[in-house]
Amino acid sequence: MGLKIQAAIVAVAAAASLATPGTVQLAMAGPRADQPSSPFAYPRQPHTYKPHKHPDRSRAPSGATEPEPLPHVAPGLTNLLTDYRERAIGHEDFARFAYIKLGIPQPGRELPDRYTDSELPDEQRSLLAGLLAGALDQLPKDVAESIRGNARPIEPAPSSRLPSRPRAAAPDAHCGYQYSRSLWGEVSWCKETTAHFEVSYNVTGPRAVDLTDADGNRVPDYVEQTVKSLEYAWSRYKGFGYKIPDKADVYIGNPRVAAGVGFTPPYSLIGFPTIVMGQQAGAFYLPRHELFHLSQYEYIPTRSWVFSARTTQWWMEATAEWGARVTMGGDPSVPESERYQYARHLPEFLGRPNDKLNQWDGFGAPRQYGAFIFAEFLSARLSFDAVRQTWEHLGGNWRGQPLEAIDDTFADYGVIPSDEMQVFATANYQLCKNDPQDPNDSGWHYLNIDVPRWCDFLASDSRTNGAGSAAPGIHRPYRYNVRLGADGRAAGTVTVRGGGTAYIDLIAPAGDLRRLVVGLTGVRGLQGNLITWETMPKRCYPDQQTLFLDANAEMQANLGDRCTVATLAINRPNADTDGDGQRVNWSTYFLSAAPR
């Protein structure tokens, strides 16, 4: 996790032939070559990378928009954040007050009453932690060092009296450390040091790690595997061109961390790259996810925390899940039970497809994790390097806004973001069933070898399985199912937010082929797509009909006979929009007969 995990640091401290006049056809890239066996090595891509000269967005433009609104928070925290944003207090005062609110004293300072709350939920502590990291980055190094000093664990020499380890071999000289400061807990730790990590693990009490040591080498098997996962992922991320710290501290089994979770605070909070994990956190998936956060902190500018904290958190979690995927896929030691954990929240993303692309539901909420599929789309559609390039672009816009960094990456590959969002919407709808033999389908598809397992997750969720639809065996994003009567008349309203897509399956009545007319109002700035299916996923006609919509629009397609379903997909391509979304009214009816 990203900022959620930081809470613990504080708790621990359609058819071309049917196109109507005026229809704009979307040019679709052809399918890629077969994906190689390596899940992180992609074949040659359909787009060429040419670094683009982007507009200078490093300074706030005149009339610049406000920062992303903060979530509703406690009154004292609201006052503190408001005063900081309005510059009533400076970076140093904010940092000291923030540490005090997080439970870490600052000698000679007290928290003003107007900043005090009787209780601060974990997610609000997380938000404060991210902004605190940004404030520390703005201070001179010696000042920041003096402020953060109380947040570090103090490590004395190993104790001469070592803890009992009944299920492991006799303890050795690497055991018996007693970290002080309530932030870390008064527990006994052992250490395992590798080329890039110093791993401290708890060996006493209810938060002790599993001490089973089958090979008798005096290191618990669980710790050994966690260390191997970290080193393997480190070498992969480094090889993929990501910035990543040469050294990091890892703490497993802290008594103030939930048993199965992990968190990675911004470096600034402690002064050194640090990962903290519960004693029951898996040894394969979670270390890789958390390690990717360490890389992300190498790119995130302070203004991302100040102006774009929610979207930054969204992209952190989406790409950390993607990072876990690419490093587990190439590691034969990863068991089936953990190999696909990164995809377990995909139904939350595709179960709400008309929501914002960058929807952030709160710290630890699942939808942003399911957004890994967008990172996967970028890496497969553009190039494997595209995800890294979004992070490299993050400092190039004044808000530190990931959506602008993504647009800059699209520009580097010479593609139009709105076109790509339509490809993304269609590929997601055909995720679980694409027919490579279908001559009418020239669209782009995911070819990742993990797709069948993604579809297993979709099958387990009532929003994304095919039950009750025109194609019950095909799992896909949530869609409205509308069975048309003999006259084809139906109507409804959908809401689409930035980067999202609403899908409506219009199911034909039995009978001859007829001309279906779809009317749309309130669609300025949206894209409409009408795809006709014979038996999903087999299409009726050679391509799909795409309209770049004005205030009102009309789309037509032949429906009936062998063409059993028409899917109306309404996409809002501009992801950098907020608010309650755009309401679209749609209606349908049949003409007397299909044109010959």
Side-chain angles (χ1 to χ4, degrees):
M1 304 178 188
L3 290 178
K4 159 81 172 174
I5 51 183
Q6 295 156 21
I9 192 74
V10 299
V12 224
S17 60
L18 295 180
T20 55
T23 295
V24 179
Q25 297 296 322
L26 176 62
M28 307 286 286
R32 299 191 290 115
D34 289 342
Q35 180 164 322
S37 57
S38 169
F40 48 79
Y42 286 88
R44 190 169 68 87
Q45 304 300 318
H47 302 295
T48 302
Y49 177 70
K50 292 182 179 179
H52 184 72
K53 186 175 182 179
H54 305 288
D56 181 8
R57 295 198 293 252
S58 60
R59 296 178 181 273
S62 60
T65 58
E66 292 293 320
E68 287 184 339
L70 295 170
H72 179 72
V73 296
L77 181 56
T78 297
N79 291 335
L80 176 61
L81 298 183
T82 300
D83 285 356
Y84 184 44
R85 280 192 167 184
E86 293 180 356
R87 301 185 180 180
I89 58 175
H91 299 304
E92 181 176 353
D93 283 340
F94 174 78
R96 293 191 184 278
F97 292 149
Y99 267 122
I100 295 171
K101 283 189 72 67
L102 298 177
I104 301 167
Q106 292 292 304
R109 301 296 293 269
E110 293 184 1
L111 191 66
D113 290 343
R114 66 182 264 98
Y115 299 153
T116 300
D117 294 298
S118 59
E119 185 178 3
L120 204 61
D122 281 351
E123 64 271 15
Q124 296 183 32
R125 291 174 176 267
S126 300
L127 173 66
L128 182 57
L131 295 171
L132 169 58
L136 289 169
D137 287 341
Q138 298 300 305
L139 293 169
K141 289 185 177 180
D142 60 331
V143 177
E145 185 67 19
S146 69
I147 295 173
R148 75 166 65 95
N150 289 330
R152 291 205 186 107
I154 294 178
E155 178 188 317
S159 168
S160 58
R161 181 169 181 156
L162 298 175
S164 173
R165 302 172 68 187
R167 290 184 293 160
D172 56 27
H174 298 294
C175 290
Y177 291 84
Q178 291 280 347
Y179 288 109
S180 62
R181 297 204 193 285
S182 59
L183 180 65
W184 298 95
E186 300 292 344
V187 296
S188 295
W189 302 81
C190 296
K191 282 189 177 181
E192 180 70 5
T193 302
T194 66
H196 304 104
F197 301 95
E198 186 169 275
V199 180
S200 299
Y201 53 98
N202 187 2
V203 294
T204 60
R207 293 303 180 88
V209 301
D210 183 347
L211 298 174
T212 301
D213 182 21
D215 58 8
N217 67 349
R218 296 188 174 186
V219 180
D221 300 335
Y222 164 72
V223 173
E224 276 191 286
Q225 184 54 65
T226 299
V227 168
K228 289 178 181 178
S229 293
L230 287 166
E231 285 290 352
Y232 183 91
W234 189 96
S235 67
R236 289 299 181 185
Y237 295 148
K238 190 75 170 180
F240 296 153
Y242 286 86
K243 298 178 182 178
I244 195 164
D246 287 332
K247 290 281 188 178
D249 287 342
V250 181
Y251 298 88
I252 307 175
N254 188 286
R256 295 177 180 82
V257 182
V261 306
F263 67 94
T264 303
Y267 303 170
S268 304
L269 266 65
I270 299 174
F272 194 76
T274 303
I275 296 172
V276 181
M277 295 168 52
Q279 78 279 6
Q280 293 178 6
F284 297 89
Y285 153 74
L286 194 59
R288 301 160 200 260
H289 176 105
E290 299 302 331
L291 181 58
F292 201 78
H293 286 320
L294 287 186
S295 175
Q296 293 164 343
Y297 290 134
E298 297 280 342
Y299 300 99
I300 298 175
T302 298
R303 54 188 179 275
S304 291
W305 301 122
V306 176
F307 294 104
S308 307
R310 295 187 298 178
T311 301
T312 298
Q313 166 73 2
W314 162 76
W315 197 229
M316 286 180 70
E317 302 302 355
T319 56
E321 294 289 70
W322 175 85
R325 182 197 77 73
V326 298
T327 57
M328 287 194 295
D331 185 351
S333 71
V334 180
E336 287 286 306
S337 60
E338 292 203 39
R339 184 177 297 278
Y340 306 103
Q341 280 199 29
Y342 71 90
R344 68 196 184 281
H345 294 308
L346 183 59
E348 193 63 35
F349 184 82
L350 294 183
R352 294 159 52 193
N354 58 324
D355 217 333
K356 291 173 60 177
L357 172 69
N358 61 321
Q359 177 64 32
W360 177 76
D361 284 348
F363 298 99
R367 192 177 191 272
Q368 52 259 32
Y369 296 84
F372 83 88
I373 196 170
F374 187 67
E376 179 68 24
F377 173 77
L378 295 181
S379 67
R381 173 77 174 165
L382 302 180
S383 84
F384 185 79
D385 296 328
V387 173
R388 188 193 73 243
Q389 289 155 355
T390 66
W391 287 106
E392 292 170 346
H393 279 308
L394 192 61
N397 64 80
W398 77 272
R399 293 187 298 169
Q401 168 59 266
L403 290 176
E404 293 182 12
I406 290 168
D407 280 350
D408 287 344
T409 302
F410 278 137
D412 287 341
Y413 287 89
V415 298
I416 300 172
S418 60
D419 288 358
E420 296 306 303
M421 295 307 297
Q422 188 66 57
V423 175
F424 179 62
T426 305
N428 289 344
Y429 207 67
Q430 301 182 136
L431 175 67
C432 296
K433 287 289 184 180
N434 66 75
D435 183 356
Q437 306 303 318
D438 185 355
N440 292 328
D441 185 2
S442 61
W444 184 89
H445 298 276
Y446 297 95
L447 298 179
N448 189 288
I449 59 177
D450 288 0
V451 165
R453 297 304 299 267
W454 302 353
C455 295
D456 289 343
F457 287 114
L458 298 184
S460 67
D461 192 294
S462 61
R463 296 168 298 178
T464 52
N465 63 28
S469 73
I474 300 178
H475 314 303
R476 56 200 190 278
Y478 178 82
R479 86 295 321 168
Y480 300 92
N481 298 304
V482 179
R483 295 189 177 274
L484 302 176
D487 59 1
R489 292 193 177 277
T493 300
V494 294
T495 300
V496 189
R497 301 185 70 190
T501 303
Y503 303 95
I504 306 167
D505 274 357
L506 304 169
I507 305 168
D512 294 337
L513 194 67
R514 303 173 71 183
R515 190 72 164 178
L516 178 70
V517 179
V518 180
L520 300 164
T521 61
V523 291
R524 187 183 302 278
L526 305 189
Q527 295 180 143
N529 211 15
L530 196 58
I531 311 170
T532 51
W533 310 96
E534 185 170 327
T535 300
M536 196 178 293
K538 187 177 181 181
R539 297 192 185 191
C540 277
Y541 299 103
D543 209 340
Q544 56 185 309
Q545 181 182 359
T546 300
L547 279 174
F548 296 88
L549 303 172
D550 203 338
N552 302 309
E554 182 179 284
M555 307 174 75
Q556 297 186 15
N558 286 351
L559 191 64
D561 192 20
R562 66 184 180 87
C563 299
T564 60
V565 180
T567 297
L568 173 61
I570 304 171
N571 171 255
R572 191 175 187 185
N574 182 7
D576 193 10
T577 55
D578 208 339
D580 296 329
Q582 191 166 342
R583 289 171 59 86
V584 178
N585 300 311
W586 61 269
S587 61
T588 64
Y589 66 92
F590 279 131
L591 294 176
S592 58
R596 298 293 180 182

